Amino acid sequence: KEVALHPGYTQNLLIKKVEKYMEERFQVGVITSTHGIKGEVKVFPTTDDVKRFKRLKEVILNTGKEEITLEIEGVKFFKQFVILKFKGYDNINDIEKYKGKSLLVTRANAVRLRRDEYFIADLQGLMVVDEEDKVLGTLRDVMETGANDVYIIDMTDGREVLVPAIKECILHVDVEAGKMQIHLIDGLFQHFDLTGQTGTIFLQFLGLHTYAL
């Protein structure tokens, strides 16, 4: 989640880490196909702010083997897609080989965050602790449920726990320190079989509002 930037406590799959070594690069789209014969491409945006392509002057093409900086020459919108034209690519044969490849931006060109907003790439890998600073596990990923974003936490005992990104549960996030402090509300486990076996524990927070700042 830029793999998509969402206003809210976290960015819904928006700005994810493309690879560990690329944590300073954020995916804003994927080239799905060519468009016409004059070098334009159809891009599926992975950022919520699709109009930001109008403001972007360049993107980084990740071919899987190298990164190529491309200057954006033209931007159009078609249904859920963005049609891009890159300077120096004027023929379908010049660009066709890049179908399926990711378009990235540097952190400096990423969407500006508001207070208490984070890039998913920065949340992934955070150490998760409780109110007494006891280590509970590691935040592996963030997923969208429709009501609010949910943190997927790999617990130290081998279980996987899903914790919603709401203020009742998320007490503090310190990206620089690599730590997130959470509160597990009493009674959250009452609907589930917690026999100690490794598995997924779904924490249902019925009636609680989404933590959107």
Side-chain angles (χ1 to χ4, degrees):
K1 46 108 113 270
E2 221 160 60
V3 169
L5 256 180
H6 250 265
Y9 194 71
T10 66
Q11 279 56 294
N12 152 32
L13 278 186
L14 277 150
I15 308 207
K16 71 181 179 182
K17 191 177 295 179
V18 179
E19 294 290 351
K20 181 66 177 177
Y21 75 94
M22 293 175 64
E23 59 186 3
E24 294 302 313
R25 301 281 192 269
F26 299 120
Q27 181 178 283
V28 292
V30 177
I31 297 175
T32 61
S33 65
T34 56
H35 182 77
I37 61 173
K38 296 184 178 181
E40 292 182 316
V41 292
K42 186 181 293 185
V43 174
F44 179 78
T46 53
T47 171
D48 283 353
D49 185 10
V50 177
K51 297 298 182 182
R52 77 187 308 275
F53 281 94
K54 281 286 189 181
R55 303 187 296 273
L56 280 177
K57 297 185 182 302
E58 64 180 30
V59 291
I60 300 168
L61 173 70
N62 178 25
T63 68
K65 296 181 178 179
E66 62 178 339
E67 291 183 355
I68 304 172
T69 299
L70 301 175
E71 183 178 342
I72 297 177
E73 193 172 69
V75 180
K76 296 185 292 187
F77 301 98
F78 177 71
K79 296 183 179 179
Q80 75 269 37
F81 296 99
V82 182
I83 309 300
L84 296 181
K85 172 69 173 61
F86 301 119
K87 185 175 181 179
Y89 292 82
D90 302 316
N91 188 286
I92 186 174
N93 296 322
D94 297 334
I95 203 73
E96 192 170 20
K97 59 186 175 182
Y98 297 131
K99 288 192 295 185
K101 304 303 181 183
S102 295
L103 297 178
L104 316 173
V105 295
T106 62
R107 184 178 289 271
N109 287 327
V111 174
R112 183 174 298 178
L113 298 178
R114 293 174 292 182
R115 182 179 178 182
D116 290 321
E117 286 186 339
Y118 306 92
F119 293 120
I120 285 182
D122 290 336
L123 294 175
Q124 292 170 326
L126 290 184
M127 176 176 64
V128 180
V129 301
D130 63 13
E131 293 157 293
E132 298 179 353
D133 222 32
K134 177 184 177 182
V135 176
L136 299 176
T138 303
L139 194 155
R140 172 160 49 88
D141 210 343
V142 180
M143 74 176 187
E144 177 186 16
T145 65
N148 47 255
D149 289 341
V150 172
Y151 297 138
I152 303 174
I153 299 174
D154 290 331
M155 304 290 276
T156 56
D157 61 7
R159 297 176 299 167
E160 178 186 86
V161 173
L162 308 183
V163 178
I166 57 176
K167 63 182 179 181
E168 288 84 355
C169 295
I170 310 303
L171 304 180
H172 182 66
V173 178
D174 189 337
V175 171
E176 291 186 4
K179 184 167 68 173
M180 173 185 289
Q181 188 176 53
I182 69 173
H183 168 63
L184 295 180
I185 300 174
D186 293 339
L188 289 177
F189 300 97
Q190 62 186 1
H191 300 298
F192 305 94
D193 176 20
L194 302 182
T195 60
Q197 297 179 353
T198 301
T200 300
I201 302 172
F202 290 89
L203 307 183
Q204 293 186 337
F205 292 74
L206 301 178
L208 297 180
H209 60 80
T210 301
Y211 186 20
L213 300 181

